[in-house]
Amino acid sequence: MEVERLSSNLAHNHLRETCVICENLKAKGIHLYTSFICTECENDLIQTDTSDPKYKHYLKQLRKITTPEIFS
């Protein structure tokens, strides 16, 4: 049974990605270039007023996202 639980945990974690804003593993969200933003952070970002101190945190975290290089 321990092997089944381990396999289940590995499969469950495989479907999760690390959010670039909250830095937690999440299952649902969007991809922006090569980065992942979870649904919760996306919604918070959209609803946060630009004068709110949280907005500056979001901008700081979003600066981690870089445009992927195109190799030719």
Side-chain angles (χ1 to χ4, degrees):
M1 276 209 293
E2 188 65 33
V3 172
E4 290 176 11
R5 188 177 359 200
L6 180 60
S7 295
S8 175
N9 287 341
L10 289 174
H12 186 66
N13 285 339
H14 180 70
L15 299 176
R16 294 177 168 207
E17 295 183 67
T18 302
C19 174
V20 72
I21 295 176
C22 68
E23 299 178 345
N24 292 319
L25 285 174
K26 300 290 181 94
K28 293 182 181 179
I30 61 171
H31 289 95
L32 183 59
Y33 295 117
T34 58
S35 298
F36 175 77
I37 301 173
C38 71
T39 304
E40 293 86 1
C41 287
E42 177 190 8
N43 290 333
D44 287 346
L45 178 63
I46 291 168
Q47 295 174 4
T48 301
D49 190 61
T50 56
S51 61
D52 189 320
K54 285 193 320 184
Y55 192 77
K56 288 185 179 183
H57 170 71
Y58 293 138
L59 290 179
K60 178 185 166 203
Q61 294 301 95
L62 289 172
R63 285 188 187 105
K64 295 178 183 179
I65 301 172
T66 59
T67 306
E69 296 179 22
I70 299 175
F71 298 103
S72 56

Coordinates of all heavy atoms in Angstrom, one line a residue:
M1 N 0.8 -1.2 0.0 CA 0.0 0.0 0.0 C 0.9 1.3 0.0 O 0.5 2.3 -0.6 CB -0.9 0.0 1.2 CG -2.2 -0.8 1.0 SD -3.6 -0.2 1.9 CE -3.2 -0.5 3.6
E2 N 2.0 1.2 0.6 CA 2.9 2.4 0.7 C 3.3 2.8 -0.7 O 3.4 4.0 -1.0 CB 4.1 2.1 1.6 CG 5.0 3.3 1.8 CD 4.3 4.4 2.6 OE1 3.4 4.0 3.5 OE2 4.5 5.6 2.4
V3 N 3.6 1.8 -1.6 CA 4.0 2.1 -2.9 C 2.9 2.8 -3.7 O 3.1 3.7 -4.4 CB 4.5 0.8 -3.7 CG1 4.7 1.0 -5.1 CG2 5.7 0.2 -3.0
E4 N 1.7 2.3 -3.5 CA 0.5 2.9 -4.2 C 0.4 4.4 -3.8 O 0.1 5.3 -4.6 CB -0.8 2.2 -3.9 CG -0.8 0.8 -4.5 CD -2.1 0.1 -4.1 OE1 -3.0 0.7 -3.5 OE2 -2.2 -1.1 -4.4
R5 N 0.5 4.7 -2.5 CA 0.4 6.0 -2.0 C 1.5 6.9 -2.5 O 1.3 8.0 -2.9 CB 0.4 6.0 -0.4 CG 0.1 7.3 0.1 CD 0.1 7.4 1.6 NE 0.3 6.1 2.2 CZ 0.0 5.7 3.4 NH1 -0.6 6.6 4.2 NH2 0.2 4.6 3.9
L6 N 2.7 6.4 -2.6 CA 3.9 7.1 -3.1 C 3.6 7.4 -4.6 O 3.8 8.5 -5.0 CB 5.2 6.3 -2.9 CG 6.4 7.0 -3.5 CD1 6.7 8.3 -2.8 CD2 7.6 6.1 -3.3
S7 N 3.2 6.4 -5.4 CA 2.9 6.6 -6.8 C 1.8 7.7 -7.0 O 1.9 8.5 -7.8 CB 2.5 5.3 -7.4 OG 3.5 4.4 -7.4
S8 N 0.8 7.6 -6.1 CA -0.3 8.6 -6.2 C 0.2 10.0 -5.9 O -0.1 10.9 -6.6 CB -1.4 8.2 -5.2 OG -2.4 9.2 -5.2
N9 N 1.1 10.1 -4.9 CA 1.6 11.4 -4.6 C 2.5 12.0 -5.7 O 2.5 13.2 -6.0 CB 2.4 11.4 -3.2 CG 1.6 11.2 -2.0 OD1 0.4 11.5 -2.1 ND2 2.2 10.8 -0.9
L10 N 3.3 11.1 -6.3 CA 4.2 11.5 -7.4 C 3.3 12.0 -8.6 O 3.6 13.0 -9.2 CB 5.1 10.4 -7.8 CG 6.3 10.1 -6.8 CD1 7.0 8.9 -7.3 CD2 7.2 11.3 -6.6
A11 N 2.3 11.3 -8.9 CA 1.4 11.6 -10.0 C 0.7 12.9 -9.7 O 0.6 13.8 -10.6 CB 0.4 10.5 -10.3
H12 N 0.3 13.1 -8.5 CA -0.4 14.3 -8.1 C 0.5 15.5 -8.1 O 0.1 16.6 -8.7 CB -1.0 14.1 -6.7 CG -1.9 15.3 -6.2 ND1 -3.1 15.6 -6.8 CD2 -1.7 16.2 -5.3 CE1 -3.6 16.6 -6.2 NE2 -2.8 17.0 -5.3
N13 N 1.7 15.4 -7.7 CA 2.7 16.5 -7.7 C 3.1 16.8 -9.1 O 3.5 17.9 -9.5 CB 3.9 16.2 -6.8 CG 3.5 16.4 -5.4 OD1 2.6 17.0 -5.0 ND2 4.3 15.7 -4.5
H14 N 3.1 15.8 -10.0 CA 3.5 16.0 -11.4 C 2.6 16.9 -12.1 O 3.0 17.6 -13.0 CB 3.6 14.6 -12.1 CG 4.1 14.7 -13.5 ND1 5.3 15.1 -13.9 CD2 3.4 14.6 -14.7 CE1 5.4 15.1 -15.2 NE2 4.3 14.8 -15.7
L15 N 1.3 16.9 -11.7 CA 0.3 17.8 -12.4 C 0.3 19.2 -11.8 O -0.4 20.0 -12.3 CB -1.1 17.2 -12.2 CG -1.2 15.8 -12.8 CD1 -2.6 15.2 -12.4 CD2 -1.0 15.8 -14.3
R16 N 1.2 19.5 -10.9 CA 1.3 20.8 -10.3 C 2.5 21.5 -10.8 O 3.5 20.9 -11.1 CB 1.3 20.7 -8.7 CG 0.0 20.1 -8.2 CD 0.2 20.0 -6.7 NE -1.1 19.7 -6.1 CZ -1.4 20.0 -4.9 NH1 -0.6 20.6 -4.1 NH2 -2.6 19.8 -4.4
E17 N 2.4 22.9 -10.8 CA 3.6 23.7 -11.1 C 3.7 24.8 -10.1 O 2.8 25.1 -9.4 CB 3.3 24.3 -12.5 CG 3.2 23.3 -13.6 CD 3.1 24.0 -15.0 OE1 4.0 24.7 -15.4 OE2 2.0 23.8 -15.6
T18 N 4.9 25.3 -10.1 CA 5.2 26.4 -9.1 C 4.8 27.7 -9.7 O 5.3 28.1 -10.8 CB 6.7 26.4 -8.8 OG1 7.1 25.1 -8.2 CG2 7.0 27.5 -7.7
C19 N 4.0 28.4 -9.0 CA 3.5 29.8 -9.4 C 4.7 30.8 -9.2 O 5.3 30.8 -8.2 CB 2.3 30.2 -8.5 SG 1.8 31.9 -8.8
V20 N 4.9 31.6 -10.2 CA 6.0 32.6 -10.1 C 5.7 33.7 -9.1 O 6.6 34.3 -8.6 CB 6.2 33.2 -11.5 CG1 5.1 34.1 -12.0 CG2 7.6 33.9 -11.6
I21 N 4.4 33.9 -8.7 CA 4.1 34.9 -7.8 C 4.1 34.4 -6.4 O 4.8 35.0 -5.5 CB 2.7 35.6 -8.2 CG1 2.8 36.3 -9.5 CG2 2.3 36.5 -7.1 CD1 1.6 36.8 -10.1
C22 N 3.3 33.4 -6.1 CA 3.2 32.9 -4.7 C 4.3 31.8 -4.4 O 4.5 31.5 -3.2 CB 1.8 32.4 -4.3 SG 1.3 30.9 -5.2
E23 N 4.9 31.3 -5.4 CA 5.9 30.3 -5.3 C 5.4 29.0 -4.6 O 6.2 28.3 -4.0 CB 7.1 30.9 -4.6 CG 7.7 32.0 -5.3 CD 8.9 32.7 -4.6 OE1 9.1 32.4 -3.4 OE2 9.6 33.5 -5.3
N24 N 4.2 28.7 -4.8 CA 3.6 27.5 -4.3 C 3.2 26.5 -5.4 O 3.0 27.0 -6.5 CB 2.3 27.7 -3.4 CG 2.6 28.5 -2.2 OD1 3.6 28.2 -1.5 ND2 1.8 29.4 -1.8
L25 N 3.2 25.2 -5.1 CA 2.7 24.3 -6.2 C 1.2 24.4 -6.3 O 0.5 24.3 -5.3 CB 3.1 22.9 -5.8 CG 4.6 22.5 -5.9 CD1 4.8 21.1 -5.3 CD2 5.0 22.5 -7.3
K26 N 0.8 24.6 -7.5 CA -0.6 24.7 -7.8 C -1.0 23.9 -9.1 O -0.1 23.7 -9.9 CB -1.0 26.2 -8.0 CG -0.8 27.1 -6.9 CD -1.7 26.8 -5.7 CE -1.5 27.7 -4.5 NZ -2.3 28.9 -4.5
A27 N -2.2 23.5 -9.1 CA -2.6 22.7 -10.3 C -3.3 23.5 -11.4 O -3.2 23.1 -12.6 CB -3.6 21.6 -9.8
K28 N -3.9 24.6 -11.1 CA -4.6 25.4 -12.1 C -4.0 26.8 -12.2 O -3.6 27.4 -11.3 CB -6.1 25.5 -11.7 CG -6.8 24.3 -11.7 CD -8.3 24.5 -11.4 CE -9.0 23.2 -11.4 NZ -10.4 23.4 -11.1
G29 N -3.9 27.2 -13.5 CA -3.4 28.5 -13.7 C -3.1 28.7 -15.2 O -3.6 28.0 -16.1
I30 N -2.3 29.8 -15.5 CA -2.0 30.1 -16.9 C -0.5 30.1 -17.1 O 0.3 30.2 -16.1 CB -2.5 31.5 -17.3 CG1 -2.0 32.6 -16.4 CG2 -4.1 31.5 -17.2 CD1 -2.3 34.0 -16.9
H31 N 0.0 30.0 -18.3 CA 1.4 30.1 -18.6 C 1.6 31.4 -19.4 O 0.9 31.8 -20.2 CB 1.8 28.9 -19.5 CG 1.8 27.6 -18.8 ND1 0.8 26.7 -18.8 CD2 2.8 27.1 -18.0 CE1 1.1 25.7 -18.0 NE2 2.3 25.9 -17.5
L32 N 2.7 32.1 -18.9 CA 3.1 33.3 -19.6 C 4.6 33.1 -19.9 O 5.4 33.0 -19.0 CB 3.0 34.5 -18.6 CG 3.3 35.8 -19.1 CD1 2.4 36.2 -20.3 CD2 3.1 36.9 -18.0
Y33 N 4.8 32.9 -21.2 CA 6.1 32.5 -21.7 C 6.5 31.2 -21.1 O 5.8 30.2 -21.3 CB 7.2 33.6 -21.5 CG 7.0 34.9 -22.2 CD1 6.8 36.1 -21.5 CD2 6.9 34.9 -23.6 CE1 6.5 37.3 -22.2 CE2 6.7 36.1 -24.3 CZ 6.5 37.3 -23.6 OH 6.3 38.4 -24.2
T34 N 7.5 31.1 -20.3 CA 7.9 29.9 -19.7 C 7.6 29.8 -18.2 O 8.0 28.9 -17.5 CB 9.5 29.7 -19.8 OG1 10.1 30.8 -19.2 CG2 9.9 29.6 -21.3
S35 N 6.8 30.7 -17.7 CA 6.4 30.8 -16.3 C 4.9 30.4 -16.1 O 4.1 30.5 -17.1 CB 6.7 32.2 -15.8 OG 8.0 32.5 -15.8
F36 N 4.6 30.1 -14.9 CA 3.2 29.7 -14.5 C 2.7 30.6 -13.5 O 3.4 31.0 -12.5 CB 3.3 28.2 -14.0 CG 2.0 27.7 -13.5 CD1 1.0 27.3 -14.3 CD2 1.8 27.7 -12.1 CE1 -0.2 26.8 -13.8 CE2 0.5 27.2 -11.6 CZ -0.4 26.8 -12.5
I37 N 1.5 31.1 -13.6 CA 0.8 31.9 -12.7 C -0.5 31.2 -12.3 O -1.3 30.9 -13.1 CB 0.4 33.3 -13.2 CG1 1.7 34.0 -13.6 CG2 -0.3 34.1 -12.2 CD1 1.5 35.3 -14.4
C38 N -0.6 30.9 -11.0 CA -1.8 30.1 -10.5 C -3.1 31.0 -10.6 O -3.0 32.2 -10.7 CB -1.6 29.6 -9.1 SG -1.7 30.9 -7.8
T39 N -4.2 30.4 -10.7 CA -5.5 31.0 -10.8 C -5.7 32.0 -9.7 O -6.2 33.1 -9.9 CB -6.6 30.0 -10.8 OG1 -6.4 29.1 -11.9 CG2 -8.0 30.7 -11.1
E40 N -5.4 31.7 -8.5 CA -5.6 32.6 -7.3 C -4.8 33.9 -7.5 O -5.3 35.0 -7.3 CB -5.2 31.9 -6.0 CG -6.2 30.7 -5.6 CD -5.7 29.4 -6.2 OE1 -4.7 29.4 -7.0 OE2 -6.4 28.4 -6.0
C41 N -3.5 33.7 -7.8 CA -2.7 34.9 -8.0 C -3.1 35.8 -9.2 O -3.1 37.0 -9.2 CB -1.2 34.5 -8.1 SG -0.5 34.0 -6.6
E42 N -3.5 35.1 -10.3 CA -4.1 35.8 -11.4 C -5.3 36.7 -11.0 O -5.3 37.8 -11.4 CB -4.4 34.8 -12.5 CG -5.0 35.5 -13.7 CD -5.6 34.5 -14.7 OE1 -5.7 33.3 -14.4 OE2 -6.0 34.9 -15.8
N43 N -6.2 36.1 -10.3 CA -7.4 36.8 -9.9 C -7.0 37.9 -8.9 O -7.6 39.1 -9.0 CB -8.4 35.9 -9.2 CG -9.0 34.9 -10.2 OD1 -9.1 35.2 -11.4 ND2 -9.4 33.8 -9.7
D44 N -6.1 37.7 -8.0 CA -5.7 38.7 -7.0 C -5.0 39.9 -7.8 O -5.3 41.1 -7.5 CB -4.7 38.2 -6.0 CG -5.4 37.3 -5.0 OD1 -6.7 37.4 -4.9 OD2 -4.7 36.6 -4.2
L45 N -4.2 39.6 -8.7 CA -3.5 40.6 -9.5 C -4.5 41.5 -10.3 O -4.3 42.7 -10.3 CB -2.5 39.9 -10.5 CG -1.7 40.8 -11.4 CD1 -0.8 41.7 -10.6 CD2 -0.9 39.9 -12.4
I46 N -5.4 40.9 -10.9 CA -6.4 41.6 -11.7 C -7.3 42.5 -10.8 O -7.6 43.6 -11.2 CB -7.3 40.6 -12.5 CG1 -6.5 39.9 -13.5 CG2 -8.5 41.3 -13.1 CD1 -7.2 38.8 -14.2
Q47 N -7.6 42.1 -9.6 CA -8.5 42.8 -8.7 C -7.8 43.8 -7.8 O -8.4 44.6 -7.2 CB -9.3 41.8 -7.9 CG -10.2 41.0 -8.7 CD -11.0 39.9 -7.9 OE1 -10.8 39.9 -6.7 NE2 -11.7 39.1 -8.5
T48 N -6.5 43.8 -7.7 CA -5.7 44.6 -6.8 C -5.5 46.0 -7.5 O -5.1 46.1 -8.6 CB -4.3 44.0 -6.5 OG1 -4.5 42.8 -5.9 CG2 -3.5 44.9 -5.6
D49 N -5.8 47.0 -6.7 CA -5.6 48.4 -7.1 C -4.2 48.7 -7.2 O -3.4 48.2 -6.4 CB -6.3 49.4 -6.1 CG -6.4 50.8 -6.7 OD1 -7.0 51.0 -7.7 OD2 -5.8 51.7 -6.0
T50 N -3.8 49.6 -8.2 CA -2.4 49.9 -8.4 C -1.7 50.6 -7.2 O -0.5 50.7 -7.1 CB -2.1 50.7 -9.7 OG1 -2.9 51.8 -9.6 CG2 -2.5 49.8 -10.9
S51 N -2.6 51.2 -6.4 CA -2.0 51.9 -5.2 C -1.8 51.0 -4.0 O -1.3 51.4 -3.0 CB -3.0 53.1 -4.8 OG -4.2 52.6 -4.5
D52 N -2.3 49.8 -4.1 CA -2.2 48.8 -3.0 C -0.7 48.3 -2.9 O -0.1 48.0 -3.9 CB -3.1 47.6 -3.3 CG -3.3 46.7 -2.1 OD1 -2.3 46.4 -1.4 OD2 -4.4 46.2 -1.9
P53 N -0.2 48.2 -1.7 CA 1.2 47.7 -1.6 C 1.4 46.3 -2.2 O 2.5 45.9 -2.6 CB 1.5 47.7 -0.1 CG 0.5 48.7 0.5 CD -0.7 48.7 -0.4
K54 N 0.3 45.5 -2.2 CA 0.4 44.1 -2.7 C 0.8 44.2 -4.2 O 1.4 43.3 -4.8 CB -0.9 43.4 -2.6 CG -1.2 42.9 -1.2 CD -2.3 41.8 -1.1 CE -3.5 42.1 -2.0 NZ -4.6 41.2 -1.8
Y55 N 0.3 45.3 -4.9 CA 0.5 45.4 -6.3 C 2.0 45.5 -6.6 O 2.5 44.9 -7.6 CB -0.2 46.6 -6.9 CG -0.3 46.7 -8.4 CD1 -1.2 45.8 -9.1 CD2 0.5 47.5 -9.1 CE1 -1.3 45.9 -10.4 CE2 0.5 47.5 -10.5 CZ -0.4 46.7 -11.2 OH -0.5 46.7 -12.5
K56 N 2.8 46.2 -5.8 CA 4.2 46.3 -6.0 C 4.9 44.9 -5.9 O 5.8 44.6 -6.6 CB 4.8 47.3 -5.0 CG 4.5 48.7 -5.4 CD 5.2 49.7 -4.4 CE 4.9 51.1 -4.8 NZ 5.6 52.1 -4.1
H57 N 4.3 44.1 -4.9 CA 4.9 42.7 -4.8 C 4.6 41.9 -6.0 O 5.5 41.2 -6.5 CB 4.2 42.1 -3.6 CG 4.5 40.6 -3.5 ND1 5.8 40.1 -3.1 CD2 3.8 39.5 -3.7 CE1 5.8 38.8 -3.2 NE2 4.5 38.4 -3.5
Y58 N 3.4 42.1 -6.6 CA 3.1 41.3 -7.8 C 4.0 41.7 -9.0 O 4.5 40.9 -9.7 CB 1.6 41.6 -8.2 CG 0.6 41.0 -7.3 CD1 -0.5 41.7 -7.0 CD2 0.8 39.7 -6.7 CE1 -1.5 41.1 -6.1 CE2 -0.1 39.2 -5.9 CZ -1.2 39.9 -5.5 OH -2.2 39.4 -4.7
L59 N 4.3 43.0 -9.1 CA 5.2 43.5 -10.1 C 6.6 42.9 -9.9 O 7.2 42.5 -10.9 CB 5.2 45.0 -10.1 CG 4.0 45.7 -10.6 CD1 4.2 47.2 -10.6 CD2 3.6 45.3 -12.0
K60 N 7.1 42.9 -8.7 CA 8.4 42.4 -8.4 C 8.5 40.9 -8.8 O 9.5 40.5 -9.4 CB 8.7 42.5 -6.9 CG 10.0 41.9 -6.5 CD 10.1 42.0 -5.0 CE 11.3 41.1 -4.5 NZ 11.2 40.7 -3.1
Q61 N 7.4 40.1 -8.5 CA 7.4 38.7 -8.8 C 7.3 38.5 -10.4 O 8.0 37.7 -10.9 CB 6.3 38.0 -8.1 CG 6.4 38.0 -6.6 CD 7.7 37.3 -6.2 OE1 8.7 37.9 -5.9 NE2 7.6 36.0 -6.1
L62 N 6.5 39.4 -11.0 CA 6.4 39.3 -12.5 C 7.7 39.6 -13.2 O 7.9 39.1 -14.3 CB 5.2 40.2 -13.0 CG 3.8 39.7 -12.6 CD1 2.8 40.7 -12.9 CD2 3.5 38.4 -13.3
R63 N 8.5 40.4 -12.6 CA 9.8 40.7 -13.3 C 10.7 39.5 -13.4 O 11.6 39.5 -14.2 CB 10.5 41.8 -12.5 CG 9.9 43.2 -12.7 CD 10.7 44.3 -12.1 NE 10.0 45.5 -12.1 CZ 9.4 46.1 -11.1 NH1 9.5 45.6 -9.9 NH2 8.7 47.3 -11.2
K64 N 10.4 38.4 -12.7 CA 11.1 37.2 -12.9 C 10.9 36.5 -14.2 O 11.7 35.7 -14.7 CB 10.8 36.2 -11.8 CG 11.1 36.6 -10.4 CD 10.6 35.6 -9.4 CE 10.9 36.0 -8.0 NZ 10.4 34.9 -7.1
I65 N 9.8 36.9 -14.8 CA 9.4 36.3 -16.1 C 10.2 37.0 -17.2 O 10.2 38.2 -17.3 CB 7.9 36.5 -16.4 CG1 7.1 35.8 -15.3 CG2 7.5 35.9 -17.8 CD1 5.6 36.0 -15.4
T66 N 10.9 36.2 -18.0 CA 11.7 36.8 -19.1 C 11.2 36.2 -20.4 O 10.6 35.1 -20.4 CB 13.2 36.5 -18.9 OG1 13.3 35.0 -18.9 CG2 13.8 37.1 -17.7
T67 N 11.4 37.0 -21.4 CA 11.0 36.5 -22.8 C 11.9 35.4 -23.2 O 13.1 35.5 -23.1 CB 11.1 37.7 -23.8 OG1 10.4 38.8 -23.3 CG2 10.6 37.2 -25.2
P68 N 11.3 34.3 -23.6 CA 12.2 33.1 -24.0 C 13.0 33.5 -25.2 O 12.5 34.2 -26.1 CB 11.2 32.0 -24.3 CG 9.9 32.7 -24.6 CD 9.9 34.0 -23.8
E69 N 14.2 33.0 -25.3 CA 15.0 33.2 -26.4 C 14.6 32.4 -27.6 O 14.1 31.2 -27.4 CB 16.5 32.9 -26.1 CG 17.1 33.8 -25.0 CD 18.5 33.4 -24.7 OE1 19.2 32.8 -25.5 OE2 18.9 33.8 -23.6
I70 N 14.7 32.9 -28.8 CA 14.4 32.2 -30.0 C 15.7 31.7 -30.6 O 16.5 32.5 -30.9 CB 13.6 33.0 -31.0 CG1 12.2 33.4 -30.3 CG2 13.3 32.2 -32.3 CD1 11.4 34.4 -31.2
F71 N 15.8 30.4 -30.7 CA 17.1 29.9 -31.3 C 16.8 29.6 -32.8 O 15.8 28.9 -33.1 CB 17.5 28.6 -30.6 CG 17.8 28.8 -29.1 CD1 16.9 28.5 -28.1 CD2 19.0 29.5 -28.8 CE1 17.3 28.7 -26.8 CE2 19.3 29.7 -27.5 CZ 18.5 29.3 -26.5
S72 N 17.6 30.0 -33.6 CA 17.4 29.7 -35.1 C 18.6 29.0 -35.6 O 19.6 28.8 -35.1 CB 17.2 31.0 -35.8 OG 18.3 31.9 -35.6

